[in-house]
Amino acid sequence: EDGTITLIGATTENPSFELNAALLSRLRVLTLQPLAEEDLRTIALRAFTEPERGLGLNPEQLAPEALDLLVQLAGGDARSALNTLEAAMLAARGAGGPFVVGAAEVAQAAQQTGQYDRKGEHHYDTISAFIKTIRGSNPDAALYWLARMLNRGEDPRFIARRLLILASEDVGNADPQALTLAVAAMQACQLLGMPEAAYPLSQVTTYLALAPKSNAAKGIFAAMDVERAHPGAAVPVHLRNAPTKLMKELGYGQAYRYPHDFPGGIVAQNYWPEGLNPVQFYKPSDRGFESELRERRQAISKAFRQSTEEST
């Protein structure tokens, strides 16, 4: 902090993940942008032809279409391009004798050296794009991100877990079948493994992308906030369990009104903790099956009001 030491570091990882808050607060972070395609082309050709620091090969041994593909697949990352180039050269030279690095060797090498770290930033960025694309109801783009994860060796069970979360978080009661299908897909992934697990993952991905969307399930978090704010709120006596004689003598459960004994199975009574005013946590959307639940809720509220008026 007094300037005795100047720390300069470079990393391909996100500093937010790899550096603790104390160190990060004392550093200035400079983000390096991806290289332009022409820059990558120059770097690749130099590495391919230079005899001392490069591979020392003739430029004719690198097919133009192979160089184009190499630049395209590198994504602005010179290290990725160089690793792919070296792997492609070794594959082309494997048979012995004169060789030319073609697009096929580059494509195969890129699968081995592609940018993807199952514990790093690419991992989180890709799964984020995948989930947000499904939430945005685009099945084709969602399949692309799914394909990227599967091609790079992502654990299909991890993907299935995220789909399971999305089925409740972003679809919910707008399509109750979504959660059932997501659970089935997770079980299928555990039983099948790759490559067959790609089928149920693709099925549930496209289903969730095209399903009506609702995030009304988030009402649980508002309910948790209210509960934390009223930790001492007692269960009303009429809603309490009465398994013993003493509890019955204390009046536990005696004033409970059994809904099945009333018309429509609905009767008004207090279901909230003592001293806590009712709050609407669940707010059904007007999409999919949840629109029917919304109408049911309105009908139940009307029945509650009528029951209250009749009892008074």
Short mmCIF file of all heavy atoms in Angstrom, two decimals, residues 112-171:
data_model
loop_
_atom_site.label_atom_id
_atom_site.label_comp_id
_atom_site.label_asym_id
_atom_site.label_seq_id
_atom_site.Cartn_x
_atom_site.Cartn_y
_atom_site.Cartn_z
N GLN A 112 -10.06 -30.07 -29.50
CA GLN A 112 -9.21 -30.44 -28.38
C GLN A 112 -8.71 -29.24 -27.61
O GLN A 112 -8.37 -29.35 -26.43
CB GLN A 112 -8.01 -31.26 -28.89
CG GLN A 112 -8.40 -32.50 -29.67
CD GLN A 112 -7.23 -33.17 -30.34
OE1 GLN A 112 -6.09 -32.75 -30.17
NE2 GLN A 112 -7.48 -34.20 -31.13
N THR A 113 -8.63 -28.08 -28.27
CA THR A 113 -8.04 -26.91 -27.62
C THR A 113 -9.00 -25.76 -27.47
O THR A 113 -8.61 -24.66 -27.13
CB THR A 113 -6.82 -26.42 -28.44
OG1 THR A 113 -7.28 -26.04 -29.75
CG2 THR A 113 -5.78 -27.51 -28.58
N GLY A 114 -10.30 -25.98 -27.73
CA GLY A 114 -11.29 -24.90 -27.68
C GLY A 114 -11.36 -24.21 -26.34
O GLY A 114 -11.04 -24.78 -25.30
N GLN A 115 -11.79 -22.96 -26.37
CA GLN A 115 -11.91 -22.17 -25.15
C GLN A 115 -13.09 -22.67 -24.33
O GLN A 115 -14.23 -22.42 -24.66
CB GLN A 115 -12.13 -20.69 -25.50
CG GLN A 115 -10.90 -19.97 -25.96
CD GLN A 115 -11.15 -18.49 -26.06
OE1 GLN A 115 -12.27 -18.03 -25.99
NE2 GLN A 115 -10.10 -17.73 -26.22
N TYR A 116 -12.80 -23.36 -23.27
CA TYR A 116 -13.86 -23.78 -22.35
C TYR A 116 -13.20 -24.39 -21.13
O TYR A 116 -12.45 -25.35 -21.24
CB TYR A 116 -14.80 -24.79 -22.99
CG TYR A 116 -16.09 -24.97 -22.21
CD1 TYR A 116 -17.13 -24.06 -22.35
CD2 TYR A 116 -16.25 -26.01 -21.31
CE1 TYR A 116 -18.30 -24.20 -21.64
CE2 TYR A 116 -17.41 -26.16 -20.59
CZ TYR A 116 -18.43 -25.25 -20.76
OH TYR A 116 -19.59 -25.39 -20.04
N ASP A 117 -13.49 -23.84 -19.99
CA ASP A 117 -12.96 -24.33 -18.74
C ASP A 117 -14.13 -24.65 -17.85
O ASP A 117 -14.91 -23.76 -17.51
CB ASP A 117 -12.06 -23.28 -18.08
CG ASP A 117 -11.43 -23.79 -16.80
OD1 ASP A 117 -11.86 -24.85 -16.30
OD2 ASP A 117 -10.51 -23.13 -16.30
N ARG A 118 -14.30 -25.89 -17.46
CA ARG A 118 -15.47 -26.31 -16.72
C ARG A 118 -15.52 -25.71 -15.32
O ARG A 118 -16.52 -25.86 -14.62
CB ARG A 118 -15.51 -27.84 -16.63
CG ARG A 118 -15.87 -28.49 -17.95
CD ARG A 118 -15.70 -29.98 -17.92
NE ARG A 118 -16.47 -30.61 -16.87
CZ ARG A 118 -16.45 -31.92 -16.64
NH1 ARG A 118 -15.71 -32.72 -17.37
NH2 ARG A 118 -17.17 -32.43 -15.66
N LYS A 119 -14.47 -25.00 -14.91
CA LYS A 119 -14.50 -24.34 -13.61
C LYS A 119 -14.24 -22.84 -13.73
O LYS A 119 -14.15 -22.16 -12.72
CB LYS A 119 -13.45 -24.97 -12.69
CG LYS A 119 -13.73 -26.42 -12.32
CD LYS A 119 -12.70 -26.95 -11.35
CE LYS A 119 -12.99 -28.40 -10.97
NZ LYS A 119 -11.98 -28.93 -10.03
N GLY A 120 -14.11 -22.34 -14.96
CA GLY A 120 -13.73 -20.95 -15.15
C GLY A 120 -14.81 -20.10 -15.77
O GLY A 120 -15.99 -20.46 -15.81
N GLU A 121 -14.38 -18.96 -16.30
CA GLU A 121 -15.33 -17.95 -16.78
C GLU A 121 -16.12 -18.44 -17.99
O GLU A 121 -17.31 -18.16 -18.11
CB GLU A 121 -14.58 -16.66 -17.13
CG GLU A 121 -15.50 -15.52 -17.53
CD GLU A 121 -14.75 -14.22 -17.74
OE1 GLU A 121 -13.51 -14.25 -17.70
OE2 GLU A 121 -15.40 -13.19 -17.95
N HIS A 122 -15.46 -19.17 -18.91
CA HIS A 122 -16.17 -19.66 -20.08
C HIS A 122 -17.30 -20.59 -19.69
O HIS A 122 -18.37 -20.60 -20.29
CB HIS A 122 -15.21 -20.36 -21.03
CG HIS A 122 -14.21 -19.44 -21.67
ND1 HIS A 122 -14.59 -18.43 -22.52
CD2 HIS A 122 -12.86 -19.35 -21.56
CE1 HIS A 122 -13.51 -17.77 -22.92
NE2 HIS A 122 -12.46 -18.31 -22.35
N HIS A 123 -17.06 -21.39 -18.67
CA HIS A 123 -18.09 -22.30 -18.15
C HIS A 123 -19.32 -21.51 -17.70
O HIS A 123 -20.45 -21.81 -18.10
CB HIS A 123 -17.49 -23.09 -16.99
CG HIS A 123 -18.48 -23.75 -16.09
ND1 HIS A 123 -19.05 -24.97 -16.38
CD2 HIS A 123 -19.00 -23.37 -14.91
CE1 HIS A 123 -19.88 -25.31 -15.41
NE2 HIS A 123 -19.87 -24.36 -14.51
N TYR A 124 -19.11 -20.49 -16.90
CA TYR A 124 -20.22 -19.71 -16.35
C TYR A 124 -20.88 -18.83 -17.42
O TYR A 124 -22.10 -18.66 -17.41
CB TYR A 124 -19.75 -18.87 -15.17
CG TYR A 124 -19.35 -19.71 -13.98
CD1 TYR A 124 -18.02 -19.88 -13.64
CD2 TYR A 124 -20.32 -20.37 -13.21
CE1 TYR A 124 -17.65 -20.66 -12.55
CE2 TYR A 124 -19.96 -21.15 -12.13
CZ TYR A 124 -18.63 -21.29 -11.80
OH TYR A 124 -18.27 -22.09 -10.74
N ASP A 125 -20.07 -18.29 -18.32
CA ASP A 125 -20.65 -17.46 -19.39
C ASP A 125 -21.55 -18.29 -20.30
O ASP A 125 -22.62 -17.84 -20.72
CB ASP A 125 -19.53 -16.82 -20.22
CG ASP A 125 -18.87 -15.66 -19.50
OD1 ASP A 125 -19.42 -15.21 -18.48
OD2 ASP A 125 -17.79 -15.21 -19.96
N THR A 126 -21.11 -19.50 -20.61
CA THR A 126 -21.88 -20.34 -21.54
C THR A 126 -23.17 -20.82 -20.91
O THR A 126 -24.23 -20.78 -21.55
CB THR A 126 -21.03 -21.54 -22.00
OG1 THR A 126 -19.79 -21.07 -22.55
CG2 THR A 126 -21.77 -22.33 -23.07
N ILE A 127 -23.12 -21.27 -19.66
CA ILE A 127 -24.36 -21.73 -19.02
C ILE A 127 -25.31 -20.55 -18.82
O ILE A 127 -26.54 -20.71 -18.91
CB ILE A 127 -24.07 -22.45 -17.68
CG1 ILE A 127 -25.31 -23.20 -17.21
CG2 ILE A 127 -23.59 -21.48 -16.63
CD1 ILE A 127 -25.75 -24.32 -18.10
N SER A 128 -24.77 -19.35 -18.60
CA SER A 128 -25.60 -18.16 -18.46
C SER A 128 -26.31 -17.86 -19.78
O SER A 128 -27.51 -17.57 -19.81
CB SER A 128 -24.75 -16.97 -18.03
OG SER A 128 -25.52 -15.78 -17.99
N ALA A 129 -25.57 -17.94 -20.89
CA ALA A 129 -26.18 -17.71 -22.20
C ALA A 129 -27.24 -18.75 -22.49
O ALA A 129 -28.31 -18.44 -23.05
CB ALA A 129 -25.10 -17.73 -23.28
N PHE A 130 -26.97 -19.99 -22.11
CA PHE A 130 -27.91 -21.10 -22.33
C PHE A 130 -29.23 -20.85 -21.60
O PHE A 130 -30.32 -20.90 -22.20
CB PHE A 130 -27.25 -22.38 -21.84
CG PHE A 130 -28.12 -23.61 -21.92
CD1 PHE A 130 -28.60 -24.07 -23.14
CD2 PHE A 130 -28.41 -24.33 -20.77
CE1 PHE A 130 -29.38 -25.21 -23.20
CE2 PHE A 130 -29.19 -25.47 -20.83
CZ PHE A 130 -29.67 -25.91 -22.05
N ILE A 131 -29.15 -20.53 -20.32
CA ILE A 131 -30.35 -20.32 -19.52
C ILE A 131 -31.12 -19.08 -19.99
O ILE A 131 -32.36 -19.11 -20.12
CB ILE A 131 -29.98 -20.18 -18.03
CG1 ILE A 131 -29.40 -21.50 -17.50
CG2 ILE A 131 -31.19 -19.75 -17.21
CD1 ILE A 131 -30.34 -22.69 -17.63
N LYS A 132 -30.42 -18.01 -20.27
CA LYS A 132 -31.09 -16.78 -20.69
C LYS A 132 -31.73 -16.93 -22.06
O LYS A 132 -32.76 -16.29 -22.35
CB LYS A 132 -30.09 -15.62 -20.69
CG LYS A 132 -29.68 -15.21 -19.28
CD LYS A 132 -28.59 -14.15 -19.28
CE LYS A 132 -28.21 -13.79 -17.85
NZ LYS A 132 -27.08 -12.84 -17.78
N THR A 133 -31.16 -17.78 -22.91
CA THR A 133 -31.75 -18.02 -24.22
C THR A 133 -33.03 -18.83 -24.11
O THR A 133 -34.02 -18.56 -24.80
CB THR A 133 -30.73 -18.75 -25.12
OG1 THR A 133 -29.55 -17.97 -25.23
CG2 THR A 133 -31.31 -18.97 -26.51
N ILE A 134 -33.04 -19.82 -23.22
CA ILE A 134 -34.27 -20.59 -22.98
C ILE A 134 -35.34 -19.67 -22.40
O ILE A 134 -36.50 -19.70 -22.82
CB ILE A 134 -34.01 -21.78 -22.05
CG1 ILE A 134 -33.03 -22.75 -22.69
CG2 ILE A 134 -35.31 -22.50 -21.71
CD1 ILE A 134 -32.63 -23.90 -21.79
N ARG A 135 -34.94 -18.85 -21.44
CA ARG A 135 -35.88 -17.90 -20.83
C ARG A 135 -36.45 -16.96 -21.90
O ARG A 135 -37.61 -16.54 -21.81
CB ARG A 135 -35.17 -17.10 -19.74
CG ARG A 135 -36.06 -16.13 -18.99
CD ARG A 135 -35.25 -15.36 -17.96
NE ARG A 135 -34.71 -16.22 -16.95
CZ ARG A 135 -33.47 -16.12 -16.45
NH1 ARG A 135 -32.64 -15.19 -16.90
NH2 ARG A 135 -33.05 -16.95 -15.51
N GLY A 136 -35.64 -16.65 -22.90
CA GLY A 136 -36.07 -15.78 -23.97
C GLY A 136 -36.83 -16.49 -25.07
O GLY A 136 -37.15 -15.89 -26.10
N SER A 137 -37.11 -17.80 -24.88
CA SER A 137 -37.96 -18.58 -25.80
C SER A 137 -37.37 -18.74 -27.19
O SER A 137 -38.08 -18.68 -28.19
CB SER A 137 -39.36 -17.96 -25.89
OG SER A 137 -39.97 -17.88 -24.61
N ASN A 138 -36.05 -18.97 -27.27
CA ASN A 138 -35.40 -19.22 -28.56
C ASN A 138 -34.80 -20.62 -28.54
O ASN A 138 -33.67 -20.82 -28.09
CB ASN A 138 -34.30 -18.17 -28.81
CG ASN A 138 -33.79 -18.23 -30.24
OD1 ASN A 138 -33.58 -19.30 -30.80
ND2 ASN A 138 -33.56 -17.06 -30.83
N PRO A 139 -35.52 -21.64 -29.04
CA PRO A 139 -35.05 -23.01 -28.95
C PRO A 139 -33.80 -23.29 -29.78
O PRO A 139 -32.95 -24.10 -29.39
CB PRO A 139 -36.24 -23.84 -29.45
CG PRO A 139 -37.01 -22.91 -30.31
CD PRO A 139 -36.85 -21.55 -29.70
N ASP A 140 -33.65 -22.64 -30.92
CA ASP A 140 -32.51 -22.92 -31.79
C ASP A 140 -31.20 -22.40 -31.20
O ASP A 140 -30.19 -23.11 -31.18
CB ASP A 140 -32.75 -22.31 -33.17
CG ASP A 140 -34.00 -22.88 -33.84
OD1 ASP A 140 -34.09 -24.12 -33.92
OD2 ASP A 140 -34.88 -22.11 -34.23
N ALA A 141 -31.22 -21.16 -30.70
CA ALA A 141 -30.02 -20.63 -30.06
C ALA A 141 -29.71 -21.42 -28.79
O ALA A 141 -28.53 -21.65 -28.45
CB ALA A 141 -30.21 -19.15 -29.72
N ALA A 142 -30.75 -21.87 -28.09
CA ALA A 142 -30.53 -22.67 -26.88
C ALA A 142 -29.82 -23.98 -27.23
O ALA A 142 -28.93 -24.43 -26.51
CB ALA A 142 -31.86 -22.95 -26.19
N LEU A 143 -30.22 -24.61 -28.34
CA LEU A 143 -29.55 -25.84 -28.77
C LEU A 143 -28.09 -25.58 -29.14
O LEU A 143 -27.23 -26.45 -28.93
CB LEU A 143 -30.29 -26.46 -29.95
CG LEU A 143 -31.61 -27.16 -29.62
CD1 LEU A 143 -32.24 -27.71 -30.90
CD2 LEU A 143 -31.40 -28.29 -28.62
N TYR A 144 -27.81 -24.41 -29.69
CA TYR A 144 -26.41 -24.07 -30.01
C TYR A 144 -25.56 -24.05 -28.73
O TYR A 144 -24.48 -24.65 -28.69
CB TYR A 144 -26.33 -22.71 -30.71
CG TYR A 144 -24.91 -22.23 -30.84
CD1 TYR A 144 -24.10 -22.67 -31.87
CD2 TYR A 144 -24.36 -21.36 -29.89
CE1 TYR A 144 -22.77 -22.25 -31.97
CE2 TYR A 144 -23.04 -20.93 -29.98
CZ TYR A 144 -22.26 -21.38 -31.02
OH TYR A 144 -20.95 -20.98 -31.11
N TRP A 145 -26.05 -23.35 -27.70
CA TRP A 145 -25.27 -23.28 -26.45
C TRP A 145 -25.18 -24.65 -25.79
O TRP A 145 -24.15 -25.00 -25.20
CB TRP A 145 -25.88 -22.26 -25.50
CG TRP A 145 -25.82 -20.85 -26.02
CD1 TRP A 145 -26.87 -20.04 -26.32
CD2 TRP A 145 -24.64 -20.10 -26.30
NE1 TRP A 145 -26.42 -18.84 -26.79
CE2 TRP A 145 -25.06 -18.84 -26.79
CE3 TRP A 145 -23.28 -20.37 -26.20
CZ2 TRP A 145 -24.15 -17.84 -27.16
CZ3 TRP A 145 -22.38 -19.38 -26.58
CH2 TRP A 145 -22.82 -18.14 -27.04
N LEU A 146 -26.24 -25.43 -25.90
CA LEU A 146 -26.19 -26.80 -25.38
C LEU A 146 -25.13 -27.60 -26.13
O LEU A 146 -24.34 -28.34 -25.50
CB LEU A 146 -27.56 -27.47 -25.53
CG LEU A 146 -27.63 -28.96 -25.16
CD1 LEU A 146 -27.29 -29.16 -23.68
CD2 LEU A 146 -29.02 -29.50 -25.45
N ALA A 147 -25.08 -27.45 -27.45
CA ALA A 147 -24.08 -28.16 -28.24
C ALA A 147 -22.67 -27.75 -27.86
O ALA A 147 -21.76 -28.60 -27.77
CB ALA A 147 -24.32 -27.90 -29.73
N ARG A 148 -22.46 -26.47 -27.60
CA ARG A 148 -21.12 -26.02 -27.21
C ARG A 148 -20.69 -26.69 -25.90
O ARG A 148 -19.55 -27.18 -25.78
CB ARG A 148 -21.09 -24.50 -27.03
CG ARG A 148 -19.78 -24.01 -26.41
CD ARG A 148 -19.65 -22.51 -26.38
NE ARG A 148 -19.44 -21.98 -27.73
CZ ARG A 148 -19.08 -20.71 -27.96
NH1 ARG A 148 -18.88 -19.88 -26.95
NH2 ARG A 148 -18.91 -20.28 -29.19
N MET A 149 -21.59 -26.74 -24.93
CA MET A 149 -21.23 -27.36 -23.66
C MET A 149 -20.94 -28.85 -23.82
O MET A 149 -19.98 -29.37 -23.26
CB MET A 149 -22.34 -27.11 -22.64
CG MET A 149 -22.43 -25.66 -22.19
SD MET A 149 -23.62 -25.39 -20.85
CE MET A 149 -25.17 -25.59 -21.73
N LEU A 150 -21.77 -29.53 -24.59
CA LEU A 150 -21.57 -30.97 -24.77
C LEU A 150 -20.30 -31.25 -25.56
O LEU A 150 -19.56 -32.20 -25.26
CB LEU A 150 -22.79 -31.58 -25.46
CG LEU A 150 -24.10 -31.55 -24.66
CD1 LEU A 150 -25.23 -32.17 -25.47
CD2 LEU A 150 -23.95 -32.27 -23.32
N ASN A 151 -20.03 -30.44 -26.58
CA ASN A 151 -18.81 -30.62 -27.37
C ASN A 151 -17.56 -30.41 -26.55
O ASN A 151 -16.52 -31.02 -26.82
CB ASN A 151 -18.80 -29.66 -28.57
CG ASN A 151 -19.68 -30.13 -29.70
OD1 ASN A 151 -20.01 -31.31 -29.80
ND2 ASN A 151 -20.07 -29.21 -30.57
N ARG A 152 -17.64 -29.54 -25.55
CA ARG A 152 -16.46 -29.22 -24.75
C ARG A 152 -16.35 -30.09 -23.49
O ARG A 152 -15.53 -29.82 -22.62
CB ARG A 152 -16.47 -27.74 -24.37
CG ARG A 152 -16.62 -26.78 -25.55
CD ARG A 152 -15.44 -26.84 -26.52
NE ARG A 152 -15.70 -26.09 -27.74
CZ ARG A 152 -15.54 -24.79 -27.89
NH1 ARG A 152 -15.14 -24.06 -26.87
NH2 ARG A 152 -15.80 -24.21 -29.04
N GLY A 153 -17.20 -31.10 -23.38
CA GLY A 153 -17.05 -32.04 -22.28
C GLY A 153 -17.76 -31.66 -21.00
O GLY A 153 -17.45 -32.21 -19.93
N GLU A 154 -18.74 -30.74 -21.06
CA GLU A 154 -19.48 -30.38 -19.86
C GLU A 154 -20.23 -31.60 -19.32
O GLU A 154 -20.72 -32.44 -20.08
CB GLU A 154 -20.46 -29.25 -20.17
CG GLU A 154 -21.23 -28.73 -18.97
CD GLU A 154 -20.32 -28.17 -17.91
OE1 GLU A 154 -19.83 -27.04 -18.07
OE2 GLU A 154 -20.08 -28.89 -16.92
N ASP A 155 -20.34 -31.69 -18.01
CA ASP A 155 -21.07 -32.77 -17.37
C ASP A 155 -22.56 -32.62 -17.67
O ASP A 155 -23.17 -31.62 -17.31
CB ASP A 155 -20.83 -32.72 -15.85
CG ASP A 155 -21.42 -33.91 -15.12
OD1 ASP A 155 -22.24 -34.65 -15.71
OD2 ASP A 155 -21.08 -34.10 -13.94
N PRO A 156 -23.18 -33.60 -18.34
CA PRO A 156 -24.60 -33.46 -18.67
C PRO A 156 -25.48 -33.34 -17.43
O PRO A 156 -26.56 -32.75 -17.50
CB PRO A 156 -24.91 -34.74 -19.47
CG PRO A 156 -23.83 -35.69 -19.11
CD PRO A 156 -22.62 -34.86 -18.85
N ARG A 157 -25.03 -33.87 -16.30
CA ARG A 157 -25.82 -33.76 -15.08
C ARG A 157 -25.87 -32.33 -14.58
O ARG A 157 -26.88 -31.90 -14.01
CB ARG A 157 -25.24 -34.69 -14.00
CG ARG A 157 -25.34 -36.17 -14.35
CD ARG A 157 -24.58 -37.02 -13.36
NE ARG A 157 -23.15 -36.69 -13.37
CZ ARG A 157 -22.25 -37.26 -12.58
NH1 ARG A 157 -22.62 -38.19 -11.72
NH2 ARG A 157 -20.96 -36.93 -12.66
N PHE A 158 -24.79 -31.58 -14.79
CA PHE A 158 -24.79 -30.16 -14.44
C PHE A 158 -25.82 -29.40 -15.27
O PHE A 158 -26.59 -28.58 -14.76
CB PHE A 158 -23.39 -29.57 -14.64
CG PHE A 158 -23.36 -28.06 -14.63
CD1 PHE A 158 -23.47 -27.37 -13.45
CD2 PHE A 158 -23.23 -27.34 -15.82
CE1 PHE A 158 -23.45 -25.97 -13.42
CE2 PHE A 158 -23.21 -25.96 -15.81
CZ PHE A 158 -23.32 -25.27 -14.61
N ILE A 159 -25.84 -29.68 -16.57
CA ILE A 159 -26.81 -29.03 -17.45
C ILE A 159 -28.23 -29.39 -17.03
O ILE A 159 -29.12 -28.53 -16.99
CB ILE A 159 -26.56 -29.45 -18.91
CG1 ILE A 159 -25.14 -29.08 -19.34
CG2 ILE A 159 -27.58 -28.79 -19.84
CD1 ILE A 159 -24.74 -29.60 -20.70
N ALA A 160 -28.45 -30.67 -16.72
CA ALA A 160 -29.79 -31.12 -16.32
C ALA A 160 -30.24 -30.44 -15.04
O ALA A 160 -31.42 -30.09 -14.89
CB ALA A 160 -29.80 -32.63 -16.15
N ARG A 161 -29.33 -30.21 -14.11
CA ARG A 161 -29.69 -29.52 -12.86
C ARG A 161 -30.13 -28.09 -13.14
O ARG A 161 -31.09 -27.60 -12.54
CB ARG A 161 -28.51 -29.54 -11.88
CG ARG A 161 -28.27 -30.88 -11.20
CD ARG A 161 -27.34 -30.73 -10.02
NE ARG A 161 -26.02 -30.30 -10.40
CZ ARG A 161 -25.02 -31.12 -10.73
NH1 ARG A 161 -25.22 -32.44 -10.74
NH2 ARG A 161 -23.83 -30.65 -11.06
N ARG A 162 -29.43 -27.42 -14.04
CA ARG A 162 -29.81 -26.04 -14.36
C ARG A 162 -31.15 -25.99 -15.07
O ARG A 162 -31.95 -25.07 -14.87
CB ARG A 162 -28.72 -25.39 -15.22
CG ARG A 162 -27.38 -25.23 -14.52
CD ARG A 162 -27.50 -24.46 -13.21
NE ARG A 162 -28.03 -23.14 -13.41
CZ ARG A 162 -27.28 -22.05 -13.55
NH1 ARG A 162 -25.96 -22.16 -13.49
NH2 ARG A 162 -27.83 -20.87 -13.73
N LEU A 163 -31.44 -26.97 -15.91
CA LEU A 163 -32.74 -27.04 -16.56
C LEU A 163 -33.84 -27.29 -15.53
O LEU A 163 -34.95 -26.78 -15.66
CB LEU A 163 -32.74 -28.15 -17.62
CG LEU A 163 -31.91 -27.87 -18.87
CD1 LEU A 163 -31.81 -29.12 -19.73
CD2 LEU A 163 -32.50 -26.72 -19.67
N LEU A 164 -33.51 -28.07 -14.52
CA LEU A 164 -34.47 -28.36 -13.45
C LEU A 164 -34.84 -27.08 -12.70
O LEU A 164 -36.01 -26.84 -12.38
CB LEU A 164 -33.88 -29.40 -12.51
CG LEU A 164 -34.80 -30.05 -11.49
CD1 LEU A 164 -35.93 -30.79 -12.17
CD2 LEU A 164 -33.99 -31.02 -10.62
N ILE A 165 -33.84 -26.26 -12.43
CA ILE A 165 -34.09 -24.98 -11.77
C ILE A 165 -34.96 -24.08 -12.65
O ILE A 165 -35.94 -23.49 -12.21
CB ILE A 165 -32.76 -24.27 -11.44
CG1 ILE A 165 -31.94 -25.11 -10.45
CG2 ILE A 165 -33.02 -22.87 -10.87
CD1 ILE A 165 -30.52 -24.62 -10.28
N LEU A 166 -34.60 -24.01 -13.93
CA LEU A 166 -35.33 -23.14 -14.85
C LEU A 166 -36.79 -23.56 -14.99
O LEU A 166 -37.67 -22.71 -15.13
CB LEU A 166 -34.64 -23.14 -16.22
CG LEU A 166 -35.22 -22.20 -17.26
CD1 LEU A 166 -34.11 -21.57 -18.10
CD2 LEU A 166 -36.21 -22.90 -18.19
N ALA A 167 -37.05 -24.87 -14.94
CA ALA A 167 -38.42 -25.36 -15.10
C ALA A 167 -39.34 -24.77 -14.04
O ALA A 167 -40.53 -24.53 -14.31
CB ALA A 167 -38.44 -26.88 -15.04
N SER A 168 -38.83 -24.52 -12.84
CA SER A 168 -39.64 -23.90 -11.79
C SER A 168 -39.49 -22.39 -11.78
O SER A 168 -40.47 -21.66 -11.62
CB SER A 168 -39.23 -24.45 -10.42
OG SER A 168 -39.79 -25.72 -10.19
N GLU A 169 -38.26 -21.91 -11.98
CA GLU A 169 -38.01 -20.48 -11.85
C GLU A 169 -38.63 -19.66 -12.97
O GLU A 169 -39.15 -18.56 -12.74
CB GLU A 169 -36.50 -20.22 -11.82
CG GLU A 169 -36.12 -18.76 -11.68
CD GLU A 169 -34.62 -18.53 -11.70
OE1 GLU A 169 -33.86 -19.52 -11.83
OE2 GLU A 169 -34.20 -17.37 -11.58
N ASP A 170 -38.60 -20.18 -14.20
CA ASP A 170 -39.01 -19.39 -15.36
C ASP A 170 -40.25 -19.91 -16.07
O ASP A 170 -40.79 -19.21 -16.92
CB ASP A 170 -37.86 -19.30 -16.36
CG ASP A 170 -36.69 -18.51 -15.82
OD1 ASP A 170 -36.88 -17.32 -15.52
OD2 ASP A 170 -35.60 -19.08 -15.67
N VAL A 171 -40.68 -21.12 -15.76
CA VAL A 171 -41.89 -21.68 -16.36
C VAL A 171 -42.96 -21.90 -15.30
O VAL A 171 -44.08 -21.40 -15.41
CB VAL A 171 -41.60 -23.00 -17.11
CG1 VAL A 171 -42.89 -23.60 -17.67
CG2 VAL A 171 -40.60 -22.76 -18.23
#
